[in-house]
């Protein structure tokens, strides 16, 4: 008998782990070109969600469509955002930032601010963003604080080495040190936060409203509406390193 856990059985052998095993709430995978709708110039009008919720990210305006390219440091497919491109979509049901784990394989530009993935609301109490901020580049998770969307709720520093990074942030509600930031599988920072919010939709490459348009690349975004265990987080980083050529 074959017993299979968190993997794929292929011709009687254990296959490579895939995030489906952990039931993602959303999953955008640029390496899987079957999920991409593009024109002859590689301008992308739709990036399909690979989760069971089918919350596809779209962009109908040509000038605002990111470009499918081969990213130079990994040799892997990625979407290029050059300061005026973004995708947007609607969650099947409102996504809460109370409990989550979000991963992104991305590369920013020194001195540029840009959203990797964030909520569709502009309400200062009711939003979240996973973004590059200021010049380090610093990666931050903004969580609605009721004062300003320009005041990071939590941040961690990513080296400015002009390469793709596998980033993650998880939040275990209001627990002590319940919000954690990672870079390439290494825990960089953790803190306690109390604000909780939800969003009906999302943006990739842009802040809701205006501003924070990304200059950089994104090759994968995966989100879960619960906190992954340490072992699960490690397995996800191993998968992203293999899949993203890191």
């Amino acid at each position: 008998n074959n017993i299979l856990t968190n993997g794929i059985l292929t011709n009687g052998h254990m296959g490579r782990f895939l995030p489906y095993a952990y039931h993602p709430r959303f999953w955008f995978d640029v390496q899987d070109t079957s999920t991409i709708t593009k024109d002859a110039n590689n301008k992308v009008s739709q990036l399909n969600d690979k989760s069971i919720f089918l919350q596809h990210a779209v962009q109908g305006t040509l000038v605002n469509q990111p470009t499918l390219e081969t990213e130079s440091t990994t040799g892997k497919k990625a979407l290029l955002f050059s300061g005026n491109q973004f995708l947007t979509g609607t969650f099947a049901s409102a996504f809460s930032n109370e409990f989550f784990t979000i991963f992104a394989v991305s590369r920013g530009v020194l001195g540029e601010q840009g959203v990797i993935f964030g909520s569709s609301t502009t309400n200062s109490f009711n939003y979240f963003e996973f973004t590059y901020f200021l010049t380090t580049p610093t990666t931050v998770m903004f969580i609605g604080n009721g004062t300003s969307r320009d005041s990071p709720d939590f941040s961690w520093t990513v080296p400015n080495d002009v390469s793709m990074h596998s980033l993650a942030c998880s939040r275990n509600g209001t627990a002590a040190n319940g919000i954690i930031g990672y870079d390439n599988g290494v825990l960089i920072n953790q803190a306690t936060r109390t604000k909780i919010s939800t969003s009906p939709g999302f943006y990739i490459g842009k802040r809701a409203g205006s501003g924070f348009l990304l200059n950089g690349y994104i090759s994968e975004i995966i989100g879960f509406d619960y906190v992954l265990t340490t072992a699960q987080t490690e397995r996800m980083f191993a998968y992203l390193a293999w899949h993203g050529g890191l």
Side-chain angles (χ1 to χ4, degrees):
N1 295 326
N2 292 304
I3 299 175
L4 179 66
T5 303
N6 296 334
I8 300 171
L9 189 66
T10 305
N11 297 327
H13 301 285
M14 186 71 77
R16 182 171 293 276
F17 162 83
L18 290 174
Y20 287 121
Y22 295 157
H23 310 292
R25 178 65 189 273
F26 49 85
W27 181 9
F28 301 100
D29 177 10
V30 180
Q31 306 307 318
D32 184 355
T33 55
S34 70
T35 68
I36 295 174
T37 302
K38 63 183 181 66
D39 66 13
N41 295 313
N42 287 326
K43 297 294 183 180
V44 174
S45 59
Q46 181 163 316
L47 178 60
N48 288 351
D49 175 18
K50 294 176 66 170
S51 82
I52 64 171
F53 300 102
L54 304 178
Q55 307 145 132
H56 305 326
V58 299
Q59 177 55 261
T61 303
L62 181 61
V63 70
N64 298 131
Q65 293 173 353
T67 305
L68 179 64
E69 293 194 354
T70 299
E71 196 276 326
S72 60
T73 67
T74 62
K76 297 284 189 173
K77 297 293 185 185
L79 295 185
L80 171 64
F81 297 80
S82 52
N84 195 37
Q85 292 76 42
F86 63 94
L87 300 167
T88 187
T90 302
F91 290 121
S93 59
F95 185 82
S96 171
N97 68 11
E98 183 175 8
F99 300 98
F100 67 81
T101 310
I102 299 175
F103 297 84
V105 179
S106 179
R107 170 158 72 95
V109 175
L110 181 65
E112 297 283 349
Q113 301 178 145
V115 171
I116 303 167
F117 182 86
S119 61
S120 62
T121 179
T122 60
N123 185 307
S124 62
F125 278 104
N126 199 38
Y127 74 96
F128 64 88
E129 290 178 355
F130 194 14
T131 185
Y132 292 115
F133 188 70
L134 297 178
T135 58
T136 307
T138 294
T139 305
V140 306
M141 175 59 71
F142 290 87
I143 292 175
N145 56 21
T147 56
S148 170
R149 291 196 298 160
D150 295 328
S151 300
D153 196 71
F154 175 71
S155 64
W156 65 105
T157 300
V158 176
N160 179 41
D161 55 8
V162 197
S163 64
M164 297 287 277
H165 282 253
S166 181
L167 308 169
C169 188
S170 68
R171 185 184 184 189
N172 185 17
T174 58
N177 288 324
I179 185 166
I180 302 174
Y182 301 85
D183 175 39
N184 289 337
V186 178
L187 191 157
I188 303 297
N189 194 14
Q190 58 189 128
T192 304
R193 293 295 182 265
T194 59
K195 301 296 183 182
I196 297 169
S197 62
T198 61
S199 178
F202 61 88
Y203 281 92
I204 297 174
K206 175 186 180 295
R207 165 176 281 184
S210 61
F212 277 65
L213 285 147
L214 179 66
N215 274 289
Y217 290 90
I218 297 173
S219 67
E220 194 152 5
I221 299 172
I222 309 176
F224 303 85
D225 54 8
Y226 65 97
V227 181
L228 270 62
T229 67
T230 298
Q232 289 172 327
T233 300
E234 290 173 350
R235 193 158 201 180
M236 281 296 303
F237 274 117
Y239 160 79
L240 293 170
W242 163 76
H243 194 55
L246 305 179

